[in-house]
Amino acid sequence: MKRLKIALIPGDGIGKEVLQEGVKVLKTIDKIDNNLFFEFEEFPWGCDYYVKNGKMMDDNGLEQLKDFDAIYLGAVGHPSVPDHVSLWDLLLKIRKGFDQYVNLREITLLNQSLTPLKDKSEKNIDFLVIRENSEGEYAGVGEWMNKGTPEEVVLQTSVFSRKGTERIIRYAFEEARRQKKSLTSISKGNALNYSMVFWDQVFNEISQEYPDVKTYSYLVDAASMYFIKEPERFEIVVTTNLFGDILTDLGAAITGGLGLAAGANINPERQFPPMFEPIHGSAPDIAGKGIANPLAAIWSVAQMMEYFHEGNWKDYIIESIRVLLKEGRYLTRDLGGKSLTTETGDRLIEILTQMVTENKSK
Ligand SMILES: NC(=O)c1ccc[n+]([C@@H]2O[C@H](COP(=O)([O-])OP(=O)(O)OC[C@H]3O[C@@H](n4cnc5c(N)ncnc54)[C@H](O)[C@@H]3O)[C@@H](O)[C@H]2O)c1
């Protein structure tokens, strides 16, 4: 029996609402599967905590989290706290502190009706973006000089270390080899004449070790166009922190929106716990109304199951989302329905339970 300790950080706004639905899915798995047992501990960190305590999380927060098998995060952010504070003092602190240098974002269309792209269907949009998650443009290095004067100058420095660049690209090659798929590197070597020339060089160097993996290399501007015009070009993509952040929102837009997009933050050496999250924010515009789409948070549970080597559960969850989308009766407003967050979550659990029970009795 696997006993897995999950740290819950619901965070702010709709983060709390959607995380509850994901936890219901985990509890359903726990109930059905005699080999899996989840223990939960909740941490009240986020913007409310900041307003009361002047910090987003406890000073020894990472120490408190380090022995968990996984962290499950809702979303952070509230108009009462500057966004760079809520992001840097919680989310990025965990990603960096636990060296979660791989960010996995699946761009998979589960129902043709969800894509705004003409003539594209499920078979055209199904790829994985592997985003560098620990340095690059989000290294937090820079300077703000002569603040508030006419001589004001701001520097935001990108950091691409050999170690950091090699490890993410090598991870992507391994994944492409394992899945027998092509690998596309997205960079911007024409304009960023240090960092991206270096990235392209490392990509070429490592590609020599993987002659079996077919590779492509695009500039980020061209890649953005192909995401829309020819998404079928992509199977596995590797890219930088900033480009990955932006491109995966574009990926979300062509597969049903932010309400369906999930992300996994992984330390592949498993020295630290991973963190799973929907990629959307706390959505202050709809928070508290009970109408947020919980499917992205539930998709994160599927990614968590894959990390725990429970691929069957991942498949069951994704297939249940597919069925829910197809039947179309329990969708939240962002997908054109009228259901509440809890109603969508409950229906998903009914479908999942039925699917597993039917499969067992076969
Ligand atoms: N990972 C994170 O915690 C994270 C990510 C992005 C933004 N943020 C923070 O969230 C706050 C709001 O940011 P934002 O408005 O730019 O982005 P957002 O993702 O919160 O919302 C963007 C739009 O998408 C809608 N939306 C998002 N998730 C949805 C869902 N599950 N169901 C239905 N609709 C959904 C929102 O209603 C809004 O109109 C800010 O404080 C920002 O810093 C946090």
Side-chain angles (χ1 to χ4, degrees), residues 297-316:
I298 291 171
W299 198 312
S300 318
V301 174
Q303 289 192 300
M304 193 190 296
M305 290 304 113
E306 185 172 38
Y307 178 86
F308 289 147
H309 306 297
E310 299 291 340
N312 277 350
W313 276 112
K314 178 184 183 177
D315 295 345
Y316 278 133

Side-chain angles (χ1 to χ4, degrees), residues 305-345:
M305 290 304 113
E306 185 172 38
Y307 178 86
F308 289 147
H309 306 297
E310 299 291 340
N312 277 350
W313 276 112
K314 178 184 183 177
D315 295 345
Y316 278 133
I317 295 169
I318 302 294
E319 282 317 301
S320 300
I321 298 176
R322 196 191 294 276
V323 170
L324 181 124
L325 293 170
K326 188 163 182 215
E327 69 177 19
R329 286 186 298 129
Y330 289 90
L331 303 181
T332 44
R333 278 184 218 187
D334 56 308
L335 298 181
K338 291 199 173 92
S339 295
L340 298 174
T341 310
T342 48
E343 290 167 341
T344 303

Side-chain angles (χ1 to χ4, degrees), residues 14 75-77 83 91 258 277 279-286 292-293 334:
I14 65 165
V76 285
D83 280 347
L91 195 68
L258 285 176
E277 51 170 340
I279 74 168
H280 60 71
S282 55
D285 54 337
I286 57 165
N293 187 344
D334 56 308

Side-chain angles (χ1 to χ4, degrees), residues 72-93:
Y72 187 29
L73 178 99
V76 285
H78 188 268
S80 61
V81 179
D83 280 347
H84 66 275
V85 172
S86 54
L87 183 68
W88 274 94
D89 291 2
L90 184 72
L91 195 68
L92 293 187
K93 206 167 175 176

Side-chain angles (χ1 to χ4, degrees), residues 12 18 89 93 106 113 182 190 197 245 295 346:
D12 306 304
V18 297
D89 291 2
K93 206 167 175 176
E106 287 160 352
S113 68
S182 67
N190 56 348
V197 171
D245 195 4
L295 296 177
D346 289 344

Side-chain angles (χ1 to χ4, degrees), residues 4-116:
L4 298 163
K5 280 173 64 185
I6 315 291
L8 303 176
I9 308 179
D12 306 304
I14 65 165
K16 297 179 185 153
E17 301 165 36
V18 297
L19 205 76
Q20 257 176 20
E21 301 310 307
V23 170
K24 272 163 43 180
V25 172
L26 283 164
K27 287 185 175 165
T28 304
I29 296 173
D30 180 306
K31 204 162 87 187
I32 300 177
D33 191 326
N34 295 331
N35 294 316
L36 283 174
F37 180 74
F38 298 108
E39 272 173 39
F40 301 101
E41 187 174 336
E42 192 167 318
F43 295 85
W45 300 332
C47 291
D48 285 346
Y49 192 83
Y50 182 90
V51 170
K52 281 188 208 126
N53 303 289
K55 47 191 165 197
M56 290 293 293
M57 69 193 294
D58 286 343
D59 294 335
N60 67 347
L62 295 184
E63 187 59 30
Q64 292 184 46
L65 293 173
K66 78 174 186 354
D67 293 327
F68 281 86
D69 294 293
I71 301 161
Y72 187 29
L73 178 99
V76 285
H78 188 268
S80 61
V81 179
D83 280 347
H84 66 275
V85 172
S86 54
L87 183 68
W88 274 94
D89 291 2
L90 184 72
L91 195 68
L92 293 187
K93 206 167 175 176
I94 297 173
R95 282 186 189 163
K96 285 174 190 293
F98 287 155
D99 206 15
Q100 295 166 343
Y101 65 86
V102 174
N103 188 224
L104 301 175
R105 295 189 173 182
E106 287 160 352
I107 311 294
T108 302
L109 179 64
L110 292 184
N111 190 292
Q112 187 168 7
S113 68
L114 296 175
T115 187

